[in-house]
Each structure stands twice: as structure tokens, then as C-alpha cells.
């Protein structure tokens, strides 16, 4: 079965200052338990804020490093999920459910891509 990487993109300036609510965390835990029991979830995690990250660039053979936060970027990757699904349609259904768990106070985008095998 193909594997899919779901990248959670977030505008860090619009996320709730208090972070995830206890209710959202409970709903997320229930969904992760369900998707894991279904044999779909291989790995998932949230990422620390971009201010604690770095970007490594290669340009013309030269490597440079930029410390976060990345102010020139509106959206950053805030987390990921690695899933094994029968097809893209199934991966999208799980991704939609993931988004719905967050509620109205979050503005997120998921980029779902099949992993090249072989």
C-alpha cells in the first residue's frame, strides 16, 4: 500500500496564543488512536515554533544557514503525519478529519503527497 506524507502548514501569527485547548487535545488523541488502530498511522508529531528552527540553503554550491523565525514566510510546517492508505482518497478523508478536530479558531492547510517508492 502506498504511503502518504501530510504536512501541516500553519501561519504562526494566527494560531491561538494559548495553544491547543484541552478539548482539542482530547479529540486529537481519540482520532490518533482510531487512525492507529485502523493500521493507517505510521508516525505523527507536531513541531516546535519556527523561532527554534533553522533553514539550511544550497545556492550555487554555497551553503548558508538562516535562524528562525522565518518572517519572510507566511506559512511554516507545524507538524506531519505519515500514513499508509489504499489510495489518495483515503489519505484525504483522514486529513479532513484531522483538520476538523482543530475547530474554528485554527487556520491550517494540509499538503498531502504520496511518497515515491522504489
Amino acid at each position: 500500500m502506498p504511503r502518504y506524507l501530510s504536512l501541516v502548514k500553519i501561519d504562526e501569527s494566527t494560531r491561538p496564543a494559548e495553544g491547543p485547548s484541552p478539548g482539542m487535545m482530547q479529540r486529537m488523541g481519540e482520532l490518533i488512536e482510531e487512525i492507529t488502530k485502523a493500521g493507517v498511522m505510521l508516525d505523527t508529531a507536531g513541531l516546535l515554533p519556527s523561532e527554534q528552527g533553522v533553514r539550511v540553503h544550497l545556492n550555487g554550491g554555497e551553503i548558508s544557514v538562516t535562524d528562525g523565525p522565518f518572517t519572510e514566510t507566511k506559512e511554516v510546517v507545524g507538524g506531519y503525519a505519515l500514513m499508509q492508505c489504499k489510495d489518495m482518497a483515503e489519505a484525504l478523508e483522514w486529513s479532513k478529519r484531522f483538520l476538523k478536530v482543530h475547530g474554528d479558531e485554527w487556520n491550517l492547510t494540509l499538503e498531502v503527497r504520496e511518497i515515491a517508492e522504489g
Side-chain angles (χ1 to χ4, degrees):
M1 274 203 304
R3 294 181 303 155
Y4 297 86
L5 180 64
S6 177
L7 298 170
V8 182
K9 295 184 179 181
I10 183 170
D11 180 344
E12 290 182 315
S13 69
T14 63
R15 74 175 181 206
E18 66 281 357
S21 70
M24 193 214 89
M25 292 305 293
Q26 180 180 345
R27 293 187 307 272
M28 182 64 68
E30 291 167 357
L31 178 62
I32 289 173
E33 183 177 341
E34 180 183 352
I35 193 172
T36 301
K37 284 182 179 177
V40 171
M41 183 67 72
L42 301 176
D43 191 25
T44 187
L47 302 177
L48 294 175
S50 67
E51 65 191 27
Q52 297 178 36
V54 297
R55 288 186 177 164
V56 183
H57 308 272
L58 175 66
N59 187 2
E62 296 294 320
I63 294 177
S64 63
V65 177
T66 304
D67 293 329
F70 311 115
T71 55
E72 73 282 357
T73 304
K74 182 175 173 78
E75 290 183 327
V76 298
V77 176
Y80 71 93
L82 180 60
M83 303 177 289
Q84 189 164 25
C85 302
K86 63 183 176 193
D87 54 25
M88 178 63 85
E90 182 184 12
L92 288 175
E93 284 305 312
W94 286 112
S95 297
K96 289 175 186 177
R97 290 187 59 193
F98 172 83
L99 286 176
K100 288 179 184 177
V101 163
H102 286 79
D104 297 340
E105 65 273 14
W106 290 83
N107 294 312
L108 302 172
T109 301
L110 292 185
E111 181 177 337
V112 181
R113 304 199 28 208
E114 186 173 346
I115 295 174
E117 303 287 350

